[in-house]
Amino acid sequence: MKELGLRWRPLGYGALGVAALTGVVLAAREWSNETSFQVVFWTKVVVFVCLVVASYLHNFVLGPRLQAEIREGREQKTRPTLVVVGWISYSLTLALPLLGVALQRILD
């Protein structure tokens, strides 16, 4: 799993970077003063920030902690938390494009 994660990490963080840059550009171009647009937009921003935090925790805090527990032969207390954070990250990843579709539908 570690090798798979390390191999795909640049792709995942690259995609987050592209999403942030294109999101800023598209929001600036398509900004609408409609309340529904702004609610969905700011919800998407919050989801994005939560995804970045969850990814950071998963990759740089909990993952290394679990690796240390495994290496040292200790009880793997971190595993359940790591799994939950992984599922949260997955859910947030799915929510971002859905919120993008909602924004587009508001503009149409």
Side-chain angles (χ1 to χ4, degrees), residues 79-107:
R79 184 180 300 274
T81 306
L82 184 65
V83 169
V84 169
V85 170
W87 279 106
I88 290 170
S89 180
Y90 175 70
S91 301
L92 294 171
T93 300
L94 294 177
L96 276 177
L98 294 174
L99 289 168
V101 169
L103 282 175
Q104 187 58 47
R105 291 196 176 184
I106 290 169
L107 291 172

Side-chain angles (χ1 to χ4, degrees), residues 8-106:
W8 286 96
R9 188 178 292 165
L11 180 64
Y13 283 110
L16 277 174
V18 169
L21 290 174
T22 59
V24 168
V25 171
L26 291 172
R29 188 183 72 190
E30 300 290 341
W31 186 259
S32 171
N33 286 328
E34 292 180 42
T35 304
S36 58
F37 178 91
Q38 292 181 4
V39 167
V40 175
F41 173 78
W42 289 113
T43 301
K44 188 172 180 179
V45 169
V46 168
V47 167
F48 177 82
V49 170
C50 289
L51 178 58
V52 170
V53 169
S55 296
Y56 178 82
L57 285 173
H58 187 273
N59 293 326
F60 300 109
V61 177
L62 298 172
R65 187 178 301 162
L66 179 61
Q67 288 174 346
E69 290 172 358
I70 291 170
R71 249 191 327 271
E72 296 167 5
R74 292 184 290 152
E75 182 182 353
Q76 297 175 15
K77 294 180 180 179
T78 305
R79 184 180 300 274
T81 306
L82 184 65
V83 169
V84 169
V85 170
W87 279 106
I88 290 170
S89 180
Y90 175 70
S91 301
L92 294 171
T93 300
L94 294 177
L96 276 177
L98 294 174
L99 289 168
V101 169
L103 282 175
Q104 187 58 47
R105 291 196 176 184
I106 290 169

